[in-house]
């Protein structure tokens, strides 16, 4: 049994990923419009009614925009919407969700595995300025996909999850120099650069380098959640290439690297 992965959107303007086995289809986040989710499902060959669940990483708007709509009368059927207690509590206080009953609302405990269809889901804490943010690992048979975005640092637990994956979706949010000189206010720059912010291109590359040096690198890595203002796909990829080549590792030979374009549906990746 194998998993497939497809990105419908990845970045500060909205996030939504598809994880699919032969029997089960899951979405990670629903931070884009229902129309765009439907377009992603169609492009990936996934019937709408096949979506069993949406798993929320945290309560920021670029991750939850459509969680109320996907299970509604004009949504995707009856998917369960999974989040931990801290995230649900934070969502309930947002103006857009005050007093709203979200169809299929389901709570999990961070760190406790659960199964949806034939896919085992594992959540783990990440370091971000949200109530109880998590990353996810998905396992089916010998296949494992890990999604690690919206974190300012790579903790030992995050690193262990990254090393277990066959496909690692890893944040490569910004170029530090671009961020320093961009039009953002100082407090926002500090937030992004802080330990509860986002991984830079350099930090992502150093993480992959460490995995290669320790013989633990996944076969394939997808760079994700690129900033609209302070990054672009070629820069994220080139930074990774440069850091690895300085230590005699070659992209393509030692590890396959691709970049998820912010507002584009990716290819379907087989794990």
């Amino acid at each position: 049994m194998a998993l497939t992965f497809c990105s419908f959107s990845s970045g500060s303007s909205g996030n939504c990923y598809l994880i699919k086995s032969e029997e089960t289809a899951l979405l990670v986040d629903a931070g884009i419009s229902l129309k765009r989710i439907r377009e992603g499902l169609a492009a990936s060959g996934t019937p709408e009614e096949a979506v069993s669940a949406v798993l929320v990483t945290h309560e920021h708007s670029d991750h939850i925009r459509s969680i109320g709509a996907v299970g509604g009368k004009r949504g995707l059927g009856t998917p369960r919407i999974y989040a931990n207690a801290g995230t649900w509590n934070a969502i309930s206080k947002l103006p857009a969700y005050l007093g709203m009953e979200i169809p299929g609302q389901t709570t999990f405990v961070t760190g406790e595995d659960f199964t949806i269809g034939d896919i085992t889901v594992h959540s783990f804490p990440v370091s971000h300025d949200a109530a109880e943010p998590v990353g996810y690992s998905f396992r089916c048979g010998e296949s494992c996909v890990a999604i690690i975005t919206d974190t300012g640092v790579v903790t030992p637990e995050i690193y262990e999850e990254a090393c277990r994956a066959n496909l690692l979706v890893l944040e490569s949010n910004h170029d530090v120099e671009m961020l320093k000189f961009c039009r953002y206010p100082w407090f926002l720059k500090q937030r992004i650069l802080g330990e509860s912010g986002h991984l830079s291109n350099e930090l992502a590359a150093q993480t992959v380098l460490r995995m290669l040096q320790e013989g633990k690198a996944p076969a394939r890595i997808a760079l994700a959640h690129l900033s609209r203002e302070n990054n672009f796909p070629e820069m994220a990829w080139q930074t990774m290439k440069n850091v690895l080549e300085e230590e005699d590792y070659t992209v393509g030979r030692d590890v396959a690297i691709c970049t998820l374009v912010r507002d584009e549906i990716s290819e379907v990746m087989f794990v």
Side-chain angles (χ1 to χ4, degrees):
M1 295 182 289
L3 293 171
T4 60
F5 169 87
C6 182
S7 171
F8 297 170
S9 182
S10 181
S12 55
S13 55
N15 297 272
C16 187
Y17 307 115
L18 172 70
I19 305 289
K20 190 165 66 170
S21 68
E22 292 183 2
E23 301 177 12
T24 308
L26 312 176
L27 296 178
V28 179
D29 289 330
I32 56 177
S33 68
L34 188 56
K35 178 178 181 290
R36 291 182 62 199
I37 292 174
R38 286 193 161 108
E39 290 171 351
L41 292 172
S44 64
T46 308
E48 294 181 13
E49 63 273 13
V51 177
S52 300
V54 179
L55 296 111
V56 178
T57 57
H58 63 289
E59 72 273 12
H60 291 168
S61 61
D62 56 320
H63 297 262
I64 65 166
R65 176 179 175 183
S66 295
I67 60 168
V70 292
K73 291 181 180 179
R74 299 182 181 180
L76 305 180
T78 57
R80 308 298 297 177
I81 314 297
Y82 286 81
N84 55 37
T87 298
W88 280 129
N89 183 54
I91 289 172
S92 71
K93 296 176 181 177
L94 296 173
Y97 292 95
L98 285 175
M100 177 185 290
E101 182 178 343
I102 296 175
Q105 181 172 332
T106 306
T107 304
F108 65 81
V109 176
T110 300
E112 292 187 2
D113 291 0
F114 56 97
T115 301
I116 304 173
D118 59 346
I119 299 177
T120 299
V121 181
H122 177 72
S123 62
F124 50 92
V126 295
S127 181
H128 197 51
D129 57 349
E132 195 179 344
V134 296
Y136 290 106
S137 291
F138 302 90
R139 294 178 177 82
C140 182
E142 299 300 315
S143 294
C144 179
V145 177
I147 297 178
I148 299 169
T149 67
D150 297 85
T151 188
V153 294
V154 177
T155 64
E157 185 174 2
I158 291 172
Y159 183 74
E160 287 181 11
E161 291 300 322
C163 291
R164 293 190 182 106
N166 305 113
L167 168 63
L168 170 62
V169 180
L170 179 65
E171 179 168 57
S172 189
N173 178 255
H174 60 275
D175 175 78
V176 172
E177 293 305 310
M178 286 184 70
L179 177 61
K180 286 180 179 178
F181 293 100
C182 78
R183 62 183 180 178
Y184 286 0
W186 177 245
F187 80 88
L188 182 55
K189 294 179 183 181
Q190 290 297 99
R191 169 189 174 264
I192 294 169
L193 291 168
E195 290 193 354
S196 297
H198 293 277
L199 288 183
S200 67
N201 294 340
E202 180 72 21
L203 285 174
Q206 290 295 335
T207 300
V208 174
L209 175 61
R210 178 185 170 191
M211 288 191 289
L212 284 167
Q213 291 172 331
E214 296 179 356
K216 298 178 179 179
R220 190 170 190 178
I221 296 173
L223 304 180
H225 209 291
L226 274 63
S227 168
R228 182 191 298 273
E229 300 285 341
N230 303 301
N231 208 357
F232 49 91
E234 295 81 5
M235 176 171 282
W237 191 88
Q238 192 65 48
T239 301
M240 181 69 67
K241 181 175 182 289
N242 291 347
V243 168
L244 299 187
E245 286 186 348
E246 286 177 3
E247 299 296 330
D248 296 324
Y249 293 102
T250 301
V251 174
R253 182 194 67 193
D254 298 302
V255 62
I257 304 285
C258 68
T259 306
L260 302 180
V261 180
R262 185 176 55 251
D263 294 321
E264 294 182 10
I265 300 168
S266 75
E267 65 174 306
V268 175
M269 304 178 195
F270 292 83
V271 184

